[in-house]
Amino acid sequence: MPCPTRSDELVFFVNGRKVIEKNVDPEVTLLTFLRKNWILFLRLTGTKYACGRGGCGACTVMVSRHDPSSKKIRHFSVTACLVPICSLHGMAVTTVEGIGSINARIHPVQERIAKSHGTQCGFCTPGMVMSMYTLLRNHPEPSEEQLMDALGGNLCRCTGYRPILAGGRTFCVESRGCQQEGTGKCCLDEGEDESSQLGKKSEMCTGLFVKEEFQPLDPTQELIFPPELLRMSENPQKCTLTFHGERVTWISPATLKDLLEMKMKHPEAPLILGNTSLGPAMNSQGHFHPVLLSPVRISELSAVSRASDGLTIGAGCSLTQVKDILAEMVSSLPEEKTKTYQALLKHLKSLGGQQIRNMASLGGHIVSRHCYSDLNPILAVGRTTLNLISEEGARQIPLNEHFLAGLAGANLKPEEILESVHIPHSRKWEFVSAFRQADCRQNALADVNAGMRVLFEEGTDTISSFCLAYGGLGATTVSAPQTCQQLLGRRWNELMLDEACRLLLEEVSLPGSAPGGRVEFRRSLIVSFFFKFYLQVLQELKKLRKLVPVPDSCHYPEIADRFLSALEDFSITLPQGVQTYQSVASHQPLQDPVGRPVMHLSGLKHATGEAIFCDDIPEVDEELVMALVTSTRAHAKIISIDSSEALELPGVVDVITAEDIPGTNGSEDDRLLAVEKVLCVGQLICAVVAKTEVQVKRAVGKVKITYEDLEPVIFSIEDAIKHNSFLCPEKKLEQGNIEEAFEKVDQIVEGEVHVGGQEHFYMETQRVLVIPKTEDKELDIYVSTQDPAHVQKTVSSTLSIPINRITCHVKRVGGGFGGKVGRPAVFGAIAAVGAIKTGRPIRLVLDREDDMLITGGRHPLFGKYKVGFMNSGRIKALDIECYINGGCTLDDSELVTEFLILKMENAYKIRNLRFQGRACMTNLPSNTAFRGFGFPQGTLVTESCITAVAAKCGLPPEKIREKNMYKMVDKTIYKQAFNPETLIRCWNECLVKSSFHSRRLQVEEFNKKNYWKKKGIAIVPMKFSVGFAATSYHQAAALVHIYTDGSVLVTHGGNELGQGIHTKMLQVASRELKIPMSHMHICETSTATVPNTVATAASIGSDVNGKAVQNACQVLLKRLEPIMKNNPEGTWEDWIETAFEQRISLSATGYFRGYKAFMDWEKGEGDPFPYYVYGAACSEVEIDCLTGAHKKIRTDIVMDACCSLNPAIDIGQIEGAFIQGMGLYTTEELKYSAEGVLYSRGPDEYKIPTITDIPEEFNVSLLPSSQTPLTIYSSKGVGESGMFLGSSVFFAIADAVATAHRERGIAEDFTVKSPATPEWVRMACADRFTEMIPRDEPKTFKPWSIPIV
């Protein structure tokens, strides 16, 4: 029945505080409400916006509600970006600010994630904290499995996850403990044999934090569920709540009767519970529904009933609740009845992240009928029945192929809703299995999934009922009824298997142009999954035969022992590992923090949500919001820009075009805003300015741009070479006589290497706030950048005002990785134009899709090599030609090409070398700086040459590496002197620490015994050159103030990106001034404080800024020396007070002129780099040849950081870079349409490593007793170097694939493709199943995506 107006009040609690909203807009999400409702909450900005799709977990909060039926409080984590504010009536929300703060009391979760060094940039940390906190509210002593599960929906781009798990593990009730328990040894013991030098010359440490210092978890101190909400739940309003927004009406009936009445009245209105399907569709695809029906208050939809024949689950139950219900059924029923439930449970463990499972409903999942649904294929084969209800009555329909296809007679009527789902028990002699393959093991949509069921005539292997269903092969789940019908009555044997595969491939077809691409891979999974099912059923039949008498005539085929591994899925376990570093000298004062694992300065603020990022700055008076209009064509002339319709919309203030720029519009070849023509999809054309975010986004779609397409349109490197389309001249280095050397070798191999691009995927997207001042054309710019001086200069030239009128502020950056060196200047300049034109502050925040579309990333690379070598494996000549895809403008492509060529030799001394590089101009967004700057791509080519030589010589790759490595003091290809002693130490230590040789034998033994699973192991060395190849880029400045109370303010030119530069700078200042870090503070990086700074990049930030801070502190200390000598017993405060009285300046600038570096490309020689970082990594993997999946078993890294300023930060940098590199080489794949549109524009389509992707054992050692006199306290910059070491995983996968090749008699292929995705691995491991799939002729279809390498 209808309710009075007052019932339209939305009531819920946030952090224990009551919220009453009388005019709530149904289109507002919880995330927007928390972050923007600053009048009520003073802005709860700890909850971060990062993707807007629920795929990254940065916006995780806890929602609590009372369940009237069970009388219990449910706590569950959700992604606030998907939660409609209207859905929260009667619930309590807890954000990261609500569980603890620095000024009051930090929560143990916050403390442990910070003190275990689980934060770097800190942008993902609040989400991690809230996922962990919610777990502890439900399970105060969780298992390690529960911890992994809880964090599976949270992404981190910085840390590599290991320290986050280390902090979380301290709450766990059980632990695997020492990996060598019972052997009389400990995994922390240094060295694995007497030959190890590690730990002999100096004491080594393995602890980065002290667990015993953590405060205990006390569940009694948590926020209670608000009593008012308890009363509301126990005495609910029996009336419909209606919330009217500007465009959408939200109706929340209180009873099932009211819901059915509303559904009859609004038959087109969707039901909305978790919003995990509707939300992304409305946000990204523009779907719109004027009426939304919310059944969240209707208890009947969450009812569960158990009967003798099966289980009925309410359609409103969340997937997490379904998982718990099924787990209970599996544990309480005989196994023969739970086969369907077990199959569903298997997929529920990997379906989305924990937050998505908490939000998504069973009914919504089924009715959405997504092609990638993990449950529908199992439910379809499991004889599931859907119980429908409407005002006209109830009816049942089967969840079968007709329902999934949406056929009229088998579908819901518009006025019907799904009330519940009945899943029958499985029967004796019935077998049900589930399969899925995705890029990642968790939180990733499946390429293909399947549900399979077979029922045999009792006591036989004769098929009496058969059902197969697949996801990922059509617009929805598809079945194979004809195949199943033809196989009835057949026996379960090899003949049936062959026939079934043939029939399946005929019936379940996938066109060559199918959305999602990977067509042949997906076809192969159809039969690979069925083969797995065939083996599983055979095993089960054999078990039954032992228990139940069967006729003598029934003989089941034997399964060879070598095939049994095909039955085993890769398990997910909490990673273990040891981090080893050199302890400080015994005589070092306790107060001196250098060399100690000091927590990140902002660690606790990250964990409490109190760390302020650019978009966390409160709204400024009269502030406007800006959004960008981008090109939809790859190469076209702009005929017209019509903004009239946009300007008529409410709240729209202006549209900024190139004509509004008072100064310089970028350069002739690289415009800020397009003029006359566009060169790529995603190029900036204009910008809309409006009063609110909602208004500006609507207006962007109303700007009409007319184009005229131009030719040619170039996307790939191959096309660029054909059209002679290059951005800059060729770069070349050569030594020796390469032609002569090729004539004298025993063998020559030629090959190709294709390395895909990579998206930065910094958690904080590009954002800027420009505030114009009232006089002198001054601007304050708050920007997320690695190079504020570049932003300052670009804004100056764009506005045609002096640089001294512009101040750029950088408090902290939520990840950069090179992507925030050049691009922020573009966004800052456009926002500044808007601010000057309107006279009002402008805030520009890119959403994830636009950020990925516009900004470019790592350069894809195509390399051709020719290598000449002796039969012993000694390489005599190497000729490499590389091309990178630079995109449509130059950007950093010339520098990347230079660095690529300079660094390509890696650790190898080859007397006759030729390296050539070109940057191709294509109609894609310009690629730019990225961690490693060409080294990860180029060195993969070199290492691929090594593996090719090994294959031809019949030797292990590590032998070829050792044979060709630098052995003595020598010169590089560019004639720079080089001593390889430390490189060789890293290599040898890694061999020992990883027990490489014994594990190589174990891998070989495993591979002999297993046909469908293969292990691979690889070890790679690294010589990484640090810094810029120009002296002027190595300069740095600092400013240190000492105040009269003795406190110290340090400022410098480096930017805090998460790499801990501010922490290290205070460690330097603490040592120099001989006072505790607690006396010191760093406020921000500002161009008004330290001018003319250089980008924080090239691993050199801490080095050069540390020198500048040291210089400033030494100047101050020299001034204070006479006072200290006169009063040696005085305190620091006494000395400062005296200095002030004596008129001694307590402020000093520090300056470092920089390391000398130069390169003469005409001569091909120089000293381009100040020093090298050395390292080695060994990784072991296991691959599934039938699906292409892989498991990372173990990684050992030895890195030369010399005397680390902060081992915790440096190890964190190494681990984070390694995992990011591992992503580059295994999962991160950019997909473009034939029109040049980037498909992979969010976490659903672009898979960075998740918490389940890190190696099961992950060990990192910093090489001890290493010195370099050049740097600050003999430390080294390690921010980038670990990136390439991720290739050890790639080469381990390649090693496993090579073993499969040899076993199958497949000729060695010297075409290397990165990333080593499941698609590449599966298709490389060719077998009878890949041979039987249909293949399309290339010219007969239009592919969904195109190669750009």
Side-chain angles (χ1 to χ4, degrees):
M1 66 178 187
C3 235
T5 307
R6 61 183 174 81
S7 68
D8 290 341
E9 287 185 349
L10 177 68
V11 180
F12 64 104
F13 278 67
V14 175
N15 296 336
R17 181 175 177 178
K18 186 177 181 180
V19 178
I20 302 175
E21 283 288 307
K22 296 183 179 180
N23 298 301
V24 65
D25 188 338
E27 292 186 85
V28 172
T29 65
L30 175 59
L31 177 62
T32 300
F33 183 83
L34 293 172
R35 291 185 59 81
K36 302 298 181 183
N37 201 329
W38 61 275
I39 295 175
L40 184 61
F41 287 107
L42 303 178
R43 290 171 57 93
L44 295 175
T45 55
T47 309
K48 303 301 182 193
Y49 168 76
C51 78
R53 295 188 186 181
C56 72
C59 63
T60 300
V61 299
M62 185 179 82
V63 172
S64 306
R65 64 179 298 186
H66 179 256
D67 183 356
S69 56
S70 67
K71 307 293 184 185
K72 293 180 179 179
I73 308 297
R74 280 190 60 226
H75 305 290
F76 49 98
S77 57
V78 301
T79 48
C81 67
L82 291 182
V83 177
I85 195 73
C86 293
S87 68
L88 294 171
H89 186 76
M91 300 186 198
V93 176
T94 306
T95 73
V96 69
E97 295 95 338
I99 70 170
S101 71
I102 291 172
N103 293 329
R105 171 184 174 272
I106 61 170
H107 191 276
V109 172
Q110 296 167 323
E111 177 192 36
R112 297 189 194 188
I113 200 168
K115 292 185 177 177
S116 64
H117 314 286
T119 82
Q120 285 186 22
C121 86
F123 203 81
C124 74
T125 307
M128 293 282 183
V129 165
M130 291 313 297
S131 289
M132 211 180 290
Y133 174 79
T134 308
L135 169 67
L136 296 174
R137 288 301 300 266
N138 293 310
H139 306 282
E141 291 186 329
S143 67
E144 293 184 347
E145 182 183 358
Q146 287 172 326
L147 176 64
M148 289 288 283
D149 203 37
L151 296 176
N154 293 76
L155 298 180
C156 174
R157 194 56 155 164
C158 295
T159 65
Y161 301 104
R162 195 275 313 159
I164 297 170
L165 288 169
R169 180 188 264 118
T170 62
F171 294 106
C172 291
V173 65
E174 85 237 10
S175 174
R176 281 190 279 168
C178 177
Q179 298 152 26
Q180 300 181 34
E181 191 172 357
T183 64
K185 299 178 181 179
C186 176
C187 57
L188 303 184
D189 291 341
E190 295 307 329
E192 298 191 11
D193 61 35
E194 292 302 315
S195 65
S196 175
Q197 296 300 307
L198 200 56
K200 288 191 174 183
K201 293 183 180 178
S202 58
E203 186 181 347
M204 301 300 291
C205 293
T206 54
L208 293 172
F209 61 89
V210 181
K211 179 180 176 181
E212 290 70 25
E213 293 180 357
F214 294 152
Q215 58 175 311
L217 176 68
D218 184 357
T220 65
Q221 298 301 304
E222 306 295 1
L223 277 173
I224 64 167
F225 188 73
E228 182 176 345
L229 295 185
L230 199 60
R231 291 191 295 271
M232 284 175 60
S233 175
E234 292 171 343
N235 302 286
Q237 291 177 300
K238 295 296 183 182
C239 60
T240 296
L241 296 176
T242 304
F243 306 111
H244 297 286
E246 183 184 343
R247 304 191 306 164
V248 175
T249 297
W250 180 286
I251 302 173
S252 178
T255 66
L256 182 59
K257 180 177 178 295
D258 290 344
L259 175 63
L260 299 178
E261 183 183 317
M262 287 294 121
K263 187 60 176 164
M264 180 66 79
K265 185 177 179 180
H266 305 284
E268 300 304 316
L271 269 63
I272 180 168
L273 267 173
N275 201 39
T276 56
S277 180
L278 275 178
M282 289 190 286
N283 291 343
S284 303
Q285 299 162 31
H287 291 196
F288 175 71
H289 303 280
V291 178
L292 298 171
L293 299 178
S294 170
V296 69
R297 300 161 63 208
I298 298 166
S299 58
E300 291 94 327
L301 296 185
S302 298
V304 178
S305 61
R306 298 162 179 80
S308 59
D309 65 333
L311 173 67
T312 301
I313 304 176
C317 288
S318 72
L319 296 184
T320 295
Q321 290 173 303
V322 172
K323 183 167 170 263
D324 293 340
I325 293 162
L326 292 174
E328 183 186 337
M329 296 294 287
V330 168
S331 64
S332 61
L333 289 173
E335 186 180 2
E336 66 183 37
K337 292 186 177 185
T338 64
K339 297 295 175 64
T340 306
Y341 306 148
Q342 290 181 54
L344 288 166
L345 268 176
K346 175 184 173 184
H347 277 188
L348 280 166
K349 289 179 180 178
S350 56
L351 192 159
Q354 180 72 61
Q355 299 94 319
I356 296 299
R357 294 195 294 272
N358 289 337
M359 298 162 66
S361 65
L362 176 62
H365 185 92
I366 291 170
V367 173
S368 297
R369 286 175 277 214
H370 290 301
C371 64
Y372 51 77
S373 166
D374 281 327
L375 303 187
N376 282 349
I378 307 166
L379 294 169
V381 303
R383 302 176 292 122
T384 300
T385 302
L386 304 180
N387 298 316
L388 311 181
I389 190 169
S390 68
E391 278 198 315
E392 297 178 351
R395 69 186 182 104
Q396 296 182 331
I397 60 172
L399 196 166
N400 57 17
E401 67 268 21
H402 303 301
F403 166 79
L404 293 169
L407 300 182
N411 202 359
L412 281 77
K413 297 173 184 176
E415 68 275 11
E416 287 180 321
I417 67 166
L418 175 59
E419 183 182 26
S420 61
V421 180
H422 178 72
I423 311 170
H425 295 329
S426 56
R427 297 162 286 185
K428 197 171 185 180
W429 296 96
E430 185 173 48
F431 305 98
V432 184
S433 291
F435 306 93
R436 80 187 303 268
Q437 179 53 47
D439 284 338
C440 298
R441 287 192 278 170
Q442 197 168 26
N443 200 21
L445 301 177
D447 289 307
V448 178
N449 52 37
M452 301 184 182
R453 178 183 62 84
V454 63
L455 176 67
F456 296 106
E457 294 176 9
E458 188 164 351
T460 74
D461 63 352
T462 303
I463 301 170
S464 68
S465 177
F466 203 12
C467 196
L468 304 172
Y470 290 91
L473 298 174
T476 185
T477 300
V478 297
S479 299
Q482 295 174 25
T483 299
C484 295
Q485 183 64 35
Q486 290 190 51
L487 294 173
L488 295 180
R490 297 286 295 270
R491 296 187 63 183
W492 198 258
N493 54 28
E494 283 279 343
L495 290 173
M496 184 282 304
L497 170 65
D498 291 340
E499 180 70 3
C501 290
R502 183 184 64 79
L503 292 170
L504 272 172
L505 290 171
E506 289 175 2
E507 184 175 4
V508 183
S509 61
L510 190 68
S513 58
R518 303 180 177 185
V519 170
E520 291 183 359
F521 170 55
R522 289 152 71 191
R523 287 171 180 165
S524 74
L525 291 176
I526 296 172
V527 286
S528 292
F529 285 165
F530 185 77
F531 176 61
K532 281 178 171 273
F533 183 56
Y534 168 76
L535 294 178
Q536 283 184 4
V537 171
L538 269 186
Q539 282 290 90
E540 293 296 325
L541 285 172
K542 288 187 176 183
K543 289 180 187 175
L544 269 179
R545 187 176 185 182
K546 293 177 181 177
L547 301 173
V548 181
V550 296
D552 292 337
S553 60
C554 188
H555 295 291
Y556 306 135
E558 290 296 321
I559 305 175
D561 289 343
R562 296 174 67 230
F563 282 15
L564 290 176
S565 60
L567 302 173
E568 300 166 10
D569 290 320
F570 291 139
S571 60
I572 295 174
T573 57
L574 191 69
Q576 306 281 340
V578 180
Q579 300 77 48
T580 309
Y581 61 96
Q582 186 172 343
S583 61
V584 298
S586 58
H587 56 78
Q588 180 171 320
L590 288 174
Q591 181 179 286
D592 182 353
V594 171
R596 303 185 195 276
V598 177
M599 180 181 66
H600 194 293
L601 275 184
S602 297
L604 290 173
K605 286 184 282 188
H606 291 155
T608 60
E610 293 168 280
I612 301 299
F613 291 85
C614 184
D615 192 37
D616 299 336
I617 297 170
E619 186 176 316
V620 185
D621 189 35
E622 294 289 297
E623 179 184 304
L624 299 174
V625 181
M626 177 179 276
L628 303 171
V629 178
T630 59
S631 168
T632 58
R633 303 291 179 88
H635 190 195
K637 182 180 180 181
I638 298 174
I639 303 300
S640 66
I641 301 173
D642 181 5
S643 57
S644 57
E645 194 176 341
L647 288 167
E648 290 173 1
L649 292 177
V652 176
V653 175
D654 210 337
V655 174
I656 309 298
T657 67
E659 294 177 358
D660 296 310
I661 296 174
T664 305
N665 183 15
S667 65
E668 187 69 31
D669 299 323
D670 191 1
R671 298 293 190 186
L672 299 176
L673 293 173
V675 178
E676 296 182 353
K677 67 177 180 178
V678 291
L679 298 174
C680 69
V681 174
Q683 185 171 349
L684 306 182
I685 295 177
C686 59
V688 181
V689 178
K691 293 180 180 178
T692 70
E693 189 177 328
V694 171
Q695 291 168 340
V696 81
K697 286 186 175 178
R698 289 176 190 164
V700 163
K702 298 298 182 181
V703 177
K704 307 298 180 187
I705 300 169
T706 308
Y707 303 94
E708 179 185 302
D709 288 333
L710 298 174
E711 295 290 339
V713 180
I714 300 169
F715 297 128
S716 69
I717 292 174
E718 182 182 359
D719 287 343
I721 295 171
K722 285 179 186 175
H723 287 87
N724 198 33
S725 178
F726 299 106
L727 289 164
C728 56
E730 180 185 73
K731 301 297 176 181
K732 182 177 178 180
L733 286 177
E734 190 168 356
Q735 71 178 15
N737 189 327
I738 196 160
E739 281 77 15
E740 184 179 300
F742 274 121
E743 292 175 1
K744 297 180 178 178
V745 296
D746 293 335
Q747 298 188 62
I748 294 176
V749 171
E750 296 186 49
E752 295 181 354
V753 179
H754 304 254
V755 186
Q758 186 178 26
E759 162 62 30
H760 298 92
F761 213 95
Y762 27 68
M763 295 302 291
E764 178 198 33
T765 57
Q766 301 274 359
R767 45 198 69 182
V768 59
L769 172 62
V770 179
I771 303 174
K773 294 190 176 181
T774 55
E775 56 182 284
D776 297 328
K777 296 184 179 180
E778 290 181 329
L779 291 175
D780 269 330
I781 301 177
Y782 297 87
V783 58
S784 179
T785 181
Q786 296 172 241
D787 193 353
H790 179 51
V791 177
Q792 183 188 37
K793 291 173 190 173
T794 305
V795 172
S796 168
S797 64
T798 303
L799 299 182
S800 195
I801 61 176
I803 291 176
N804 63 4
R805 310 296 169 86
I806 300 157
T807 302
C808 288
H809 306 264
V810 181
K811 184 76 173 177
R812 57 177 58 83
V813 178
F817 316 116
K820 293 180 180 174
V821 174
R823 291 297 181 212
V826 175
F827 304 120
I830 295 170
V833 173
I836 292 298
K837 187 179 180 187
T838 63
R840 294 166 66 175
I842 296 287
R843 189 183 298 259
L844 172 59
V845 177
L846 265 60
D847 62 31
R848 179 64 61 185
E849 291 190 7
D850 282 346
D851 193 295
M852 294 184 73
L853 177 70
I854 295 167
T855 57
R858 187 182 298 282
H859 293 73
L861 175 143
F862 167 64
K864 296 189 291 185
Y865 67 82
K866 179 180 178 183
V867 56
F869 53 96
M870 309 308 289
N871 291 332
S872 64
R874 181 69 176 135
I875 297 173
K876 294 294 187 180
L878 178 59
D879 189 1
I880 298 178
E881 190 175 3
C882 287
Y883 299 88
I884 60 172
N885 193 327
C888 61
T889 62
L890 182 60
D891 199 277
D892 283 325
S893 293
E894 185 166 13
L895 283 172
V896 170
T897 306
E898 291 178 358
F899 276 48
L900 178 82
I901 298 304
L902 288 168
K903 301 184 180 194
M904 198 180 290
E905 70 172 15
N906 195 20
Y908 306 110
K909 182 61 184 178
I910 299 167
R911 298 293 174 189
N912 303 285
L913 277 177
R914 181 164 59 211
F915 295 152
Q916 300 169 85
R918 296 294 301 266
C920 297
M921 179 177 176
T922 61
N923 295 111
L924 295 174
S926 289
N927 288 309
T928 187
F930 202 131
R931 195 178 203 169
F933 213 71
F935 182 75
Q937 304 102 295
T939 313
L940 194 78
V941 181
T942 307
E943 295 297 335
S944 297
C945 296
I946 296 288
T947 56
V949 170
K952 294 296 285 185
C953 292
L955 294 169
E958 60 272 13
K959 294 297 182 187
I960 306 300
R961 291 187 168 102
E962 284 184 342
K963 191 175 288 288
N964 291 284
M965 219 180 286
Y966 277 95
K967 298 292 194 304
M968 59 188 71
V969 176
D970 211 320
K971 288 190 175 182
T972 64
I973 187 174
Y974 42 88
K975 313 295 189 296
Q976 185 167 0
F978 163 59
N979 185 342
E981 178 189 349
T982 310
L983 167 67
I984 295 166
R985 281 187 62 203
C986 286
W987 173 262
N988 290 333
E989 288 295 345
C990 193
L991 285 170
V992 172
K993 295 286 290 180
S994 65
S995 304
F996 180 84
H997 295 298
S998 61
R999 284 170 57 212
R1000 166 66 83 185
L1001 295 175
Q1002 292 167 12
V1003 164
E1004 291 172 358
E1005 191 63 26
F1006 175 91
N1007 290 337
K1008 289 175 186 175
K1009 295 177 179 178
N1010 294 276
Y1011 185 81
W1012 296 113
K1013 294 273 178 67
K1014 296 294 178 189
K1015 286 186 178 181
I1017 189 169
I1019 182 169
V1020 295
M1022 181 196 68
K1023 170 175 69 73
F1024 182 82
S1025 44
V1026 168
F1028 302 97
T1031 302
S1032 61
Y1033 280 85
H1034 293 148
Q1035 63 181 298
L1039 179 61
V1040 178
H1041 300 314
I1042 305 175
Y1043 293 92
T1044 53
D1045 65 350
S1047 63
V1048 178
L1049 179 66
V1050 178
T1051 53
H1052 59 92
N1055 301 281
E1056 180 56 69
L1057 317 172
Q1059 84 284 37
I1061 189 170
H1062 287 348
T1063 310
K1064 288 183 174 182
M1065 293 308 95
L1066 289 199
Q1067 287 178 274
V1068 170
S1070 175
R1071 167 174 280 191
E1072 293 297 331
L1073 296 178
K1074 299 179 177 61
I1075 60 173
M1077 288 176 66
S1078 58
H1079 284 49
M1080 300 177 174
H1081 178 61
I1082 289 183
C1083 179
E1084 64 174 6
T1085 302
S1086 168
T1087 55
T1089 309
V1090 180
N1092 310 319
T1093 56
V1094 176
T1096 304
S1099 303
I1100 209 82
S1102 294
D1103 282 27
V1104 296
N1105 287 287
K1107 287 276 194 179
V1109 169
Q1110 181 187 41
N1111 176 238
C1113 291
Q1114 287 174 350
V1115 168
L1116 288 167
L1117 208 58
K1118 191 170 183 179
R1119 293 174 188 169
L1120 293 171
E1121 271 180 10
I1123 295 171
M1124 296 163 73
K1125 284 181 181 176
N1126 287 337
N1127 183 15
E1129 300 301 319
T1131 65
W1132 171 256
E1133 289 78 9
D1134 294 336
W1135 297 331
I1136 299 307
E1137 187 177 345
T1138 303
F1140 178 74
E1141 290 170 354
Q1142 293 183 11
R1143 294 170 297 157
I1144 294 173
S1145 173
L1146 295 173
S1147 177
T1149 57
Y1151 188 66
F1152 176 57
R1153 295 194 65 193
Y1155 305 120
K1156 290 184 179 179
F1158 71 94
M1159 181 64 200
D1160 187 329
W1161 282 96
E1162 287 187 11
K1163 294 181 180 178
E1165 61 183 56
D1167 281 350
F1169 305 111
Y1171 63 86
Y1172 299 96
V1173 170
Y1174 310 103
C1178 169
S1179 290
E1180 181 183 351
V1181 303
E1182 183 179 339
I1183 66 169
D1184 184 334
C1185 298
L1186 284 166
T1187 65
H1190 74 268
K1191 175 176 74 171
K1192 301 162 194 79
I1193 297 170
R1194 178 175 168 179
T1195 290
D1196 294 87
I1197 296 173
V1198 176
M1199 186 74 86
D1200 161 44
C1202 275
C1203 298
S1204 171
L1205 291 176
N1206 187 321
I1209 286 176
D1210 286 344
I1211 287 172
Q1213 286 288 290
I1214 293 163
E1215 291 173 333
F1218 174 86
I1219 296 298
Q1220 197 174 66
M1222 192 183 75
L1224 165 68
Y1225 298 122
T1226 60
T1227 62
E1228 298 182 39
E1229 193 170 23
L1230 294 167
K1231 295 284 190 179
Y1232 290 87
S1233 75
E1235 293 74 37
V1237 179
L1238 179 66
Y1239 284 132
S1240 35
R1241 300 210 296 268
D1244 289 347
E1245 304 91 3
Y1246 186 79
K1247 305 312 296 183
I1248 71 170
T1250 68
I1251 210 156
T1252 57
D1253 291 314
I1254 59 178
E1256 292 180 352
E1257 185 178 343
F1258 193 10
N1259 303 311
V1260 177
S1261 298
L1262 300 184
L1263 194 73
S1265 306
S1266 177
Q1267 298 287 329
T1268 175
L1270 188 67
T1271 60
I1272 181 81
Y1273 308 140
S1274 198
S1275 64
K1276 284 189 176 183
V1278 294
E1280 297 176 280
S1281 50
M1283 189 92 197
F1284 168 69
L1285 296 181
S1287 70
S1288 62
V1289 174
F1290 177 88
F1291 286 110
I1293 292 171
D1295 184 54
V1297 170
T1299 303
H1301 279 181
R1302 289 191 295 271
E1303 190 171 65
R1304 290 156 169 74
I1306 301 170
E1308 193 68 39
D1309 183 7
F1310 296 111
T1311 299
V1312 174
K1313 292 187 178 180
S1314 171
T1317 60
E1319 176 190 16
W1320 178 81
V1321 173
R1322 174 65 190 106
M1323 300 315 291
C1325 295
D1327 51 41
R1328 57 188 280 203
F1329 301 111
T1330 56
E1331 292 299 316
M1332 63 175 65
I1333 65 170
R1335 313 265 174 165
D1336 300 302
E1337 290 295 324
K1339 304 273 181 163
T1340 61
F1341 67 96
K1342 179 182 177 181
W1344 176 77
S1345 67
I1346 58 169
I1348 62 167
V1349 178

